Amino acid sequence: MNVNDFAPNLSFFFSNGVDPEYAVIGRVARRIWAKAMRFKYNANQRSQMLKYHIQTSGRSLHAQEIAFNDIRTTLQALYAIYDNCNSLHTNAYDEAITTPTEESVRRAMAIQLIINHELGLAKNENPIQGSFIIEELTDLVEEAVLAEFDRITERGGVLGAMETMYQRGKIQEESLYYETLKHTGELPLIGVNTFLSKEGSPTILPKEVIRATEQEKEEQINTLKSLQKAAGDKGKTTLRQLQQAAVRNDNIFNELMEAVKVCSLGQITNALFEVGGQYRRNM
């Protein structure tokens, strides 16, 4: 296919935290995308235009002082809007604990509404363009991303790096580093590890915590039993084919797509566990 036949339809999904790098994530991505499409694939100007969605950071939501989560989400939304994202999702403050309620979702939506309809500076399309710190961060983050691309290339590209679990290891190391900073207090989190209330750092439950009722649980169990009964031997055959593909180190995507039609997630997980065991990270 000609790159220009499909590239304009591609879009990406990013998450915004509160670190300074997130203030320029869109700028950096647009710059890298445009260069790659232009110089590597000879794409036209329309294909060089990056489309992306931003969701505020779930990692930044905490069970302690959960009302503060809306403040963090508001700042992350400002990052996204000032960076000209194409679309935005703002998390509900209680997602650290439960499925969002109607009240918390409305508050999350209000963050965007107030920024877009009440905040005067947001009416300017690019209010922080030309700022020294924004320009400097854009250059620094782009340099860091390209350096990471080089490290992946050295490992045989994306697929080659996946074989050695390079990407997974990087994510796990970052998670461990984040948790360490959080527990030592080197990363200040208001209401979590610093500026605590007189009660300390308690987990504060929202007014409403959504949990499934006993009737809903029973209905789900009955649905599962009906699926397994209807599948019969076909389910067992599909699971064997999935296991064989995994043992041969084939691409198991097609077998997975067939398996989910007649098997539950638990059955698929157990089938893969039988032939692959449980993942253990080398420390």
Side-chain angles (χ1 to χ4, degrees):
M1 293 177 66
N2 185 299
V3 65
N4 297 314
D5 291 339
F6 64 88
N9 296 324
L10 297 175
S11 61
F12 292 82
F13 189 110
F14 302 136
S15 174
N16 255 17
V18 291
D19 300 301
E21 293 86 351
Y22 290 111
V24 298
I25 189 172
R27 283 170 165 77
V28 171
R30 286 192 294 267
R31 185 186 286 184
I32 292 175
W33 177 257
K35 289 178 180 177
M37 297 305 290
R38 180 181 179 184
F39 298 115
K40 185 174 178 63
Y41 299 106
N42 297 314
N44 62 26
Q45 188 174 9
R46 178 65 186 85
S47 297
Q48 295 171 31
M49 297 179 181
L50 175 72
K51 293 187 298 185
Y52 70 97
H53 170 82
I54 288 285
Q55 178 168 349
T56 56
S57 172
R59 189 180 76 167
S60 70
L61 303 181
H62 302 284
Q64 299 91 340
E65 301 273 14
I66 61 171
F68 292 1
N69 288 336
D70 273 341
I71 301 170
R72 298 183 177 98
T73 296
T74 300
L75 297 173
Q76 293 160 13
L78 277 174
Y79 269 168
I81 291 171
Y82 282 178
D83 207 17
N84 295 304
C85 67
N86 295 97
S87 61
L88 173 64
H89 169 94
T90 38
N91 287 331
Y93 72 93
D94 55 357
E95 288 188 40
I97 293 177
T98 182
T99 303
T101 62
E102 184 175 350
E103 178 264 343
S104 67
V105 169
R106 180 163 176 78
R107 284 177 58 173
M109 182 178 66
I111 292 172
Q112 295 193 47
L113 294 174
I114 292 170
I115 291 174
N116 286 326
H117 294 278
E118 297 185 25
L119 186 66
L121 198 59
K123 299 182 187 304
N124 183 298
E125 185 175 343
N126 200 348
I128 52 179
Q129 183 176 7
S131 161
F132 168 79
I133 185 60
I134 294 298
E135 299 295 333
E136 184 74 4
L137 273 173
T138 302
D139 291 340
L140 290 172
V141 174
E142 181 189 22
E143 182 182 351
V145 171
L146 293 177
E148 188 61 44
F149 283 1
D150 287 340
R151 285 190 281 270
I152 291 175
T153 301
E154 292 166 359
R155 288 164 172 79
V158 171
L159 294 178
M162 286 177 66
E163 289 293 327
T164 58
M165 297 191 178
Y166 173 75
Q167 296 96 321
R168 180 170 185 165
K170 293 285 282 188
I171 293 170
Q172 289 177 327
E173 287 168 10
E174 171 62 23
S175 299
L176 183 61
Y177 179 62
Y178 172 78
E179 289 298 321
T180 300
L181 295 181
K182 186 168 71 172
H183 285 283
T184 61
E186 294 175 75
L187 177 65
L189 298 171
I190 310 304
V192 178
N193 61 14
T194 188
F195 293 103
L196 307 182
S197 70
K198 62 181 183 294
E199 285 83 20
S201 180
T203 295
I204 301 175
L205 294 178
K207 296 177 183 177
E208 181 182 1
V209 178
I210 295 179
R211 293 288 185 266
T213 64
E214 287 300 320
Q215 181 181 353
E216 290 171 334
K217 292 176 183 177
E218 289 299 325
E219 288 175 353
Q220 187 63 31
I221 292 172
N222 291 333
T223 299
L224 179 62
K225 291 178 179 177
S226 298
L227 170 68
Q228 294 171 347
K229 183 178 180 181
D233 293 336
K234 185 177 181 181
K236 297 177 182 177
T237 302
T238 304
L239 289 175
R240 278 197 300 271
Q241 291 172 345
L242 175 64
Q243 289 178 317
Q244 290 167 2
V247 170
R248 294 193 303 266
N249 202 28
D250 291 342
N251 188 329
I252 65 172
F253 184 78
N254 185 64
E255 280 70 24
L256 278 173
M257 293 300 292
E258 292 301 317
V260 295
K261 297 176 183 177
V262 291
C263 303
S264 68
L265 179 60
Q267 288 176 300
I268 294 171
T269 301
N270 289 333
L272 291 174
F273 178 80
E274 288 176 3
V275 295
Q278 183 173 343
Y279 172 73
R280 290 286 189 275
R281 184 189 177 200
N282 292 326
M283 297 298 290

